[in-house]
Amino acid sequence: MNKKGHVLNGVLLAIGLGYVLEPAGDIETFRTIGMTLVPVTLGALFPDIDTEFGRHRKTFHSLTVLAVFAFYPIYFDNLHYVWVGVVSHYVLDMVGSKRGIALFHPFWDEEFGLPFGVKTSSSYADAVTLVVTGLELAVVAVFVHVAPGLVQRLTAALPFSPGVGNQPTSAVIGWLVGLPLTF
């Protein structure tokens, strides 16, 4: 996608995240939107700096760059949510455009993408951006609102019954899936 599409994606994603994370529509919703708007939009724009400093859709469109942004807040306690924008940029380039991105650069320069999409100059590019953004928000909503309850129900149905005096087992299951589980 082009710069306009990535800005549109980042802004709409931040607004949608505000409502997914704080669905009440009150001051907390708008505080969350304000907290995510700049970092997500900057993250959505960042990978395209490789048009000036490297090879486009290779140098800054890789899992290595994403890992740096994902772990940065852990070590430096800032730049939260920038990684969300970077992931969103990657998804939009892989799903929405025909070309794809080099996920494994610098180790492997093959570009990966889905067999459909539009050219960045297409008159349908904005519509594709809106569809992809909607799908991204739907995935986030499932992880935030559906998956935690689903994981709890699935682990409760296990034959060794983690809820009956087997707290270490439930802690291990919670650690494996990365979600806080209470049995």
Side-chain angles (χ1 to χ4, degrees):
M1 291 293 124
N2 55 26
K3 182 171 38 171
K4 175 186 164 194
H6 287 299
V7 170
L8 179 65
N9 176 256
V11 169
L12 292 177
L13 189 62
I15 293 169
L17 283 173
Y19 282 96
V20 168
L21 298 174
E22 296 290 341
D26 58 5
I27 193 72
E28 288 303 316
T29 304
F30 294 107
R31 187 173 288 143
T32 303
I33 292 169
M35 184 176 61
T36 60
L37 185 65
V38 171
V40 170
T41 305
L42 287 176
L45 288 170
F46 176 80
D48 279 346
I49 66 168
D50 64 7
T51 57
E52 300 295 325
F53 305 104
R55 297 184 311 167
H56 186 53
R57 294 211 180 172
K58 290 187 178 17
T59 307
F60 291 106
H61 286 72
S62 68
L63 294 176
T64 308
V65 171
L66 178 59
V68 169
F69 278 103
F71 287 111
Y72 197 91
I74 294 170
Y75 292 107
F76 296 104
D77 197 34
N78 62 2
L79 294 180
H80 296 282
Y81 299 105
V82 172
W83 68 271
V84 173
V86 173
V87 168
S88 171
H89 184 109
Y90 291 3
V91 169
L92 193 57
D93 279 355
M94 289 178 66
V95 175
S97 70
K98 290 186 177 222
R99 184 171 164 195
I101 63 174
L103 282 174
F104 302 104
H105 181 79
F107 309 108
W108 189 17
D109 281 346
E110 183 176 344
E111 294 180 353
F112 295 91
L114 296 179
F116 51 84
V118 297
K119 291 183 178 184
T120 57
S121 60
S122 170
S123 61
Y124 298 110
D126 289 342
V128 169
T129 299
L130 293 175
V131 170
V132 170
T133 304
L135 291 173
E136 289 172 332
L137 286 170
V139 168
V140 169
V142 166
F143 276 105
V144 169
H145 296 294
V146 177
L150 180 63
V151 170
Q152 288 176 347
R153 286 192 300 273
L154 290 173
T155 56
L158 292 174
F160 51 81
S161 186
V164 182
N166 198 355
Q167 288 302 321
T169 305
S170 63
V172 169
I173 292 170
W175 179 79
L176 287 173
V177 280
L179 298 170
L181 299 177
T182 54
F183 294 102

